Amino acid sequence: MNFLGHRRVLVVTAVEPERQAVLRGLSGAGVAAESAVMVEAGGVGSAAAAAATARVLALGRFDAVLSAGIGGGIGVPIGGTTVATASIAADLGADSPDGFIGLDELGFGTATLATDPELVAAVTAAVPHVATGPVLTVSTVTGTLAGTRDLTARYPDAVAEAMEGFGVATAAAQAGVPFVELRTISNPVGPRDRDAWRIGDALEGLSEAFTCLAKLTP
């Protein structure tokens, strides 16, 4: 059985509720996850996500890797779905009196990893009303107006913020496996208002997205 045109796919979420949402979406379309897809809750943050992804990739053959979960939307409404054209480690760099200096500018490597164009095309074709653009990976979720202004000024094309994508992307890139990131939106990026978050709606959207993806299975 194939999934997204690949024999075997690894889906990495941060936490168990996201993993269960993905599994519900797959089972809702009649896909037995173990036959085509392995879904792993790798932990919160880029380091945990990278370590978990690398561990699983070392144990078996996979043809594609998806970082999946919920996140904050940048110009994308709550309940919306985003697919990354690149995963960017938005706060990997150095602070300075003149502002943030990114890893690329420092000359120590890159903080941007492009996603696989074929996977992006497949996901956007399968899931309705997807917003595409860079998805930012941060270690500290943005929660102030000043932080939001700084972030969006540096990354004006970004569509979402989360905490794991760049870590999953790094492990996939080092293993030579195609990668993409999918996020459903639980809250807008901006001043922190926990009461306005809609985590349940975002998890439901995650399930629906994977039901759509599963329907691509031959």
Side-chain angles (χ1 to χ4, degrees):
M1 178 180 290
N2 291 340
F3 180 77
L4 286 179
H6 296 272
R7 291 186 300 276
R8 184 75 166 149
V9 175
L10 171 62
V11 178
V12 183
T13 71
V15 294
E16 185 63 21
E18 292 171 325
R19 177 177 178 272
Q20 291 300 323
V22 171
L23 291 173
R24 284 195 300 273
L26 294 173
S27 64
V31 173
E34 66 275 7
S35 68
V37 188
M38 181 174 181
V39 187
E40 178 82 5
V44 174
S46 191
T53 304
R55 172 179 54 80
V56 176
L57 289 176
L59 296 176
R61 176 178 172 79
F62 292 89
D63 302 292
V65 177
L66 276 73
S67 175
I70 66 175
I74 303 174
V76 178
I78 291 174
T81 302
T82 64
V83 175
T85 54
S87 292
I88 301 176
D91 54 10
L92 186 58
D95 201 3
S96 82
D98 297 321
F100 178 79
I101 305 172
L103 193 67
D104 300 71
E105 188 177 353
L106 289 170
F108 295 149
T110 184
T112 300
L113 291 173
T115 51
D116 182 78
E118 292 184 5
L119 285 175
V120 172
V123 173
T124 55
V127 183
H129 311 301
V130 166
T132 59
V135 173
L136 308 180
T137 299
V138 295
S139 296
T140 302
V141 173
T142 305
T144 66
L145 183 58
T148 303
R149 286 173 174 168
D150 177 65
L151 195 71
T152 55
R154 286 191 282 122
Y155 305 106
D157 297 329
V159 294
E161 172 191 272
M163 302 180 77
E164 294 80 29
F166 187 79
V168 179
T170 298
Q174 292 190 7
V177 182
F179 164 82
V180 74
E181 180 174 3
L182 182 151
R183 297 281 166 185
T184 53
I185 303 305
S186 61
N187 58 281
V189 170
R192 185 174 176 83
D193 180 8
R194 188 64 176 77
D195 291 338
W197 288 19
R198 299 291 180 265
I199 291 177
D201 292 345
L203 291 173
E204 179 61 29
L206 191 61
S207 294
E208 291 172 0
F210 274 84
T211 296
C212 292
L213 291 177
K215 290 178 181 178
L216 290 180
T217 304

